[in-house]
């Protein structure tokens, strides 16, 4: 089978889904008001609440949600064969992942750009808010640890990517100052920025920076701590905006290169219901991770994106469209290994890791359109690092938000200790410090599935929050309720497998994390069901 057929099927199905099911979801949620003043205007503070032009916000949102997971996940999950991975990316993305992202953003806007935790508080109760905040905070620390690991491993394996990424950060700061503070024309600045971005890739090839993985992890998390503590316009917005060109450019170049190369799919369509990763159910679904659905997206949608949304009209494009773009990225990542024979795939994965497999696959495809292999490999590595870096500092910022929501008093003046630990510098340092400890405490083989399970369980909890809100206001919630039940079954089962695996490996730290996440999720679901039943009885009595 040709990879062209695979990519064409994916693109056509995603376009149809955006035009039909995406519009259906917006309608089910209640529609949008083009004239409504969004929280970015009504609560503007120029730190977190900043009205942002649609293309810039799309760049931030897409760059934040499209971390390394949609690349790494499909490559690792391909051990089950390419068909189950492809089907889960396409169907899961359309009917669960994109619905989750859109509903989270929409619900946040209808709750004054509040987080999913605050939405749970309003619709289920204070205890639900605290439980979700604790769950999300722990999951975000896992995200920080995993993505720091991903980037550090890529930098250590491909030093040219490290140089290009560091230069890119400097470029983003200059871009943000000239465009957002000095009023430079956006179009002209964007063109110059893209040219300089290409120059960063070339300088990276000429002057690679070589450090070990254990050095890069604390360096990267120190960067994330600083970036996440500064106002969004200094690094986050301009870096993500420029990143979006890199990411869009990659998607376009990759699709063109696949058409030019026309690689044949050699990987088996299906291998077995059980591989070294575990059983297909539930491991396939949590391993693909953000390629189909991600709870982290709900935190981005309700944490940073909703606070910058300048018009409700942008909700579908950013929420539903952003997720489908990420699904397309996941399909491309799958193709970078699907053209290999099973033996070559297994050997290459052991030799250079998932980042190397992806970069080499991209480099090989790009040679068909005249790009030298070394530059193509460096470009692929930079794309992977760029995806992961944007996620890293957005996750650090969200981790700070979650700690504030977890510890703040609902009424009255906060205590001195709470005031201290919720200081943005202190809160950021706590999250980053724990992430460094976790990243250096365990191996990749246990961190990734643990991250995948926690991340997707958080997605089901976010869907639960939206379902509770829709129930309270008397709207049909089946389009979020059914995906929530499925994801809950997948992730709780995965956590049980993870617990057995970490206990067998005598990894006490990760075993404790698994148990805490499982208990928090079960108690939260119990509270939500109890609340929903009470609402149902009240409505029955009233009628």
């Amino acid at each position: 089978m040709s990879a062209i057929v695979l990519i064409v099927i994916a693109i056509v199905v995603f376009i149809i889904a955006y035009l039909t099911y995406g519009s259906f979801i917006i309608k089910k949620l209640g529609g949008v008001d083009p004239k409504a003043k969004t929280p970015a205007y009504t609560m503007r503070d120029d730190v977190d609440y900043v009205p942002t032009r649609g293309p810039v916000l799309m760049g931030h949102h897409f760059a934040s949600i499209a971390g390394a997971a949609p690349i790494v996940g499909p490559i690792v999950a391909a051990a089950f064969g390419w068909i189950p991975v492809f089907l889960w990316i396409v169907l899961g993305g359309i009917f669960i992942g994109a619905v989750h992202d859109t509903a989270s953003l929409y619900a946040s806007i209808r709750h004054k750009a509040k987080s999913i935790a605050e939405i749970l508080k309003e619709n289920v109760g204070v205890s639900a808010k605290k439980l979700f905040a604790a769950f999300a905070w722990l999951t975000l620390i896992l995200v920080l640890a995993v993505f720091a690991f991903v980037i550090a491993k890529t930098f250590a394996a491909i030093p040219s990517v490290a140089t290009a990424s560091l230069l890119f950060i400097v470029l983003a700061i200059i871009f943000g100052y000239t465009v957002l503070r000095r009023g430079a024309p956006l179009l002209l600045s964007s063109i110059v920025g893209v040219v300089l971005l290409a120059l960063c890739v070339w300088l990276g090839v000429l002057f690679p920076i070589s450090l070990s993985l254990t050095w890069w992890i604390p360096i990267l998390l120190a960067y994330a701590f600083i970036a996440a503590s500064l106002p969004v316009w200094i690094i986050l917005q301009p870096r993500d905006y420029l990143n979006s060109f890199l990411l869009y450019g990659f998607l376009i170049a990759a699709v063109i290169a696949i058409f030019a190369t026309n690689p044949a799919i050699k990987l088996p369509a299906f291998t077995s219901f059980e591989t070294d990763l575990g059983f297909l159910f539930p491991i396939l679904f949590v391993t693909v991770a953000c390629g189909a659905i991600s709870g982290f997206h709900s935190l981005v949608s309700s944490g940073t994106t909703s606070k910058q949304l300048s018009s409700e009209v942008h909700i579908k494009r950013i929420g539903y469209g952003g997720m489908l773009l990420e699904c397309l990225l996941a399909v491309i990542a799958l193709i970078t290994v699907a053209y290999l024979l099973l033996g070559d795939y297994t050997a290459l994965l052991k030799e250079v890791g998932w980042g190397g497999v992806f970069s080499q696959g991209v480099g090989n495809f790009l040679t068909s359109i005249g790009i030298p292999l070394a530059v193509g490999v460096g470009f692929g590595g930079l794309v992977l690092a760029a995806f992961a870096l944007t996620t890293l500092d957005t996750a650090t910022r969200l981790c700070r938000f979650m700690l504030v929501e977890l510890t703040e008093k609902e009424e009255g003046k906060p205590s001195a200790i709470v005031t201290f630990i919720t200081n943005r510098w202190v809160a950021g340092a706590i999250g980053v410090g724990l992430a460094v400890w976790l990243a250096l405490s365990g191996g990749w083989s246990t961190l990734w599935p643990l991250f995948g399970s926690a991340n997707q369980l958080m997605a089901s909890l976010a869907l639960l929050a939206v379902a509770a809100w829709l129930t309270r206001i008397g709207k049909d919630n089946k389009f979020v309720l059914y995906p929530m039940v499925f994801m809950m079954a997948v992730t709780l089962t995965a956590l049980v497998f993870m617990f057995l695996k970490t206990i067998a490996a005598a990894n006490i730290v990760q075993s404790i994390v698994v148990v805490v996440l499982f208990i928090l999720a079960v108690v939260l679901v119990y509270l939500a069901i109890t609340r929903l039943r009470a609402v149902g009885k009240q409505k029955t009595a009233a009628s």
Side-chain angles (χ1 to χ4, degrees), residues 31-38 310-313:
V32 296
D33 181 0
K35 297 180 180 178
K37 286 285 186 183
T38 61
S310 59
S311 171
E312 291 187 4
V313 174

Side-chain angles (χ1 to χ4, degrees), residues 272-284:
S272 171
F273 283 103
E274 183 180 8
T275 69
D276 292 341
L277 300 173
F279 293 103
L280 186 143
F281 182 89
I283 298 303
L284 169 76

Side-chain angles (χ1 to χ4, degrees), residues 180-198:
L180 301 177
R181 292 290 125 170
R182 304 299 296 179
L186 181 61
L187 179 60
L188 177 62
S189 301
S190 300
I191 294 172
V192 174
V194 170
V195 172
L196 292 176
L197 183 57

Side-chain angles (χ1 to χ4, degrees), residues 210-358:
S210 296
L211 289 175
S212 69
L213 182 143
T214 51
W215 272 102
W216 277 121
I217 287 177
I219 290 173
L220 288 166
L221 286 169
Y223 154 75
F225 164 67
I226 295 170
S229 301
L230 296 173
V232 292
W233 65 266
I234 294 180
I235 295 182
L236 186 142
Q237 281 188 343
R239 200 269 330 280
D240 290 358
Y241 177 67
L242 286 176
N243 246 354
S244 65
F245 287 102
L246 177 67
L247 308 182
Y248 300 147
F250 165 75
L251 291 175
I252 294 170
V255 171
I256 292 173
I258 289 171
F259 272 84
T261 310
N262 191 19
I265 301 296
K266 298 176 183 174
L267 201 69
F270 178 74
T271 57
S272 171
F273 283 103
E274 183 180 8
T275 69
D276 292 341
L277 300 173
F279 293 103
L280 186 143
F281 182 89
I283 298 303
L284 169 76
F285 302 94
V286 298
T287 302
V288 172
C290 311
I293 179 172
S294 166
F296 177 72
H297 296 189
S298 71
L299 301 184
V300 174
S301 296
S302 66
T304 54
T305 302
S306 62
K307 294 176 176 60
Q308 301 174 69
L309 191 82
S310 59
S311 171
E312 291 187 4
V313 174
H314 301 156
I315 291 177
K316 177 187 168 187
R317 186 188 317 154
I318 293 174
Y320 204 87
M323 181 63 214
L324 293 188
L325 273 179
E326 180 162 335
C327 292
L328 179 61
L329 171 65
V331 171
I332 292 172
L334 175 63
I335 291 174
T336 63
V337 296
Y339 80 103
L340 299 172
L341 294 170
L342 183 59
D344 295 336
Y345 160 74
T346 306
L348 195 61
L349 203 58
K350 288 181 179 177
E351 182 184 349
V352 298
W354 22 261
V357 171
F358 174 74

Side-chain angles (χ1 to χ4, degrees), residues 439-461:
L440 298 176
S441 72
W444 167 259
S445 61
T446 52
L447 268 179
W448 182 263
L450 177 56
F451 151 73
S453 303
N455 185 38
Q456 297 201 323
L457 182 53
M458 187 161 63
S460 63
L461 296 178

